[in-house]
Amino acid sequence: MKELTIDATVENIEKVTSFVDEQLEELGCPMKAQMQIDIAIDELFGNIAHYAYNPKVGPATVRVDVVQDPLSVVVTFIDNGLAYDPLARKDPDVTLSAQEREIGGLGIYMVKKSMDEISYEYKDGHNILSIKKAF
């Protein structure tokens, strides 16, 4: 397991992505899976940066774990901002046009569809959201 604790700011999304990509490259992660994970990082860390501590800035920890059989990576995002379960929100109706659809929720929906597993818990004052991708 490797982890990075960094200020939850939009400017740090690139650093978080690079940190995770280093681990993925060491594992020989296929490019398609890496791109899907990178998009998930952008969405999830971006949400923490925008909403967890608003209007202040606080820390976020990103943890990368490797799971064997099948070879998978679990990326966990931990912050102690406002409690919020993005998985509790109803999925957007993607059959509607962009004009008809309610604003919000599409990013987390895309993460749910591209990852093998996604989980959330609020424990000891921390939001803990994990994504898992097999490759």
Side-chain angles (χ1 to χ4, degrees):
M1 170 186 68
K2 294 189 179 179
E3 66 179 39
L4 170 70
T5 299
I6 194 166
D7 283 343
T9 64
V10 172
E11 295 78 22
N12 282 336
I13 293 172
E14 191 175 321
K15 290 178 185 171
V16 171
T17 303
S18 293
F19 167 75
V20 174
D21 284 351
E22 274 182 39
Q23 320 314 311
L24 297 176
E25 287 165 14
E26 285 178 18
L27 295 168
C29 179
M31 188 52 66
K32 180 180 178 183
Q34 183 175 335
M35 296 285 286
Q36 290 172 323
I37 293 166
D38 288 353
I39 291 168
I41 291 167
D42 188 69
E43 173 65 23
L44 300 173
F45 195 83
N47 282 348
I48 295 168
H50 283 293
Y51 306 114
Y53 301 101
N54 193 16
K56 298 177 181 170
V57 172
T61 298
V62 179
R63 182 179 299 150
V64 180
D65 290 295
V66 178
V67 179
Q68 300 294 332
D69 201 26
L71 184 58
S72 308
V73 67
V74 177
V75 181
T76 303
F77 301 84
I78 304 164
D79 69 78
N80 58 353
L82 297 172
Y84 179 70
D85 179 358
L87 305 181
R89 184 177 180 149
K90 189 177 139 203
D91 287 343
D93 184 349
V94 294
T95 63
L96 298 175
S97 71
Q99 292 82 11
E100 297 173 304
R101 199 170 39 237
E102 282 185 41
I103 293 174
L106 193 57
I108 194 72
Y109 174 77
M110 290 171 39
V111 172
K112 286 181 187 177
K113 292 297 182 190
S114 64
M115 295 296 114
D116 295 311
E117 293 178 26
I118 184 167
S119 64
Y120 169 85
E121 70 175 321
Y122 186 76
K123 184 176 179 183
D124 300 326
H126 293 88
N127 291 292
I128 305 167
L129 189 132
S130 296
I131 56 173
K132 181 177 183 180
K133 184 69 176 174
F135 47 87

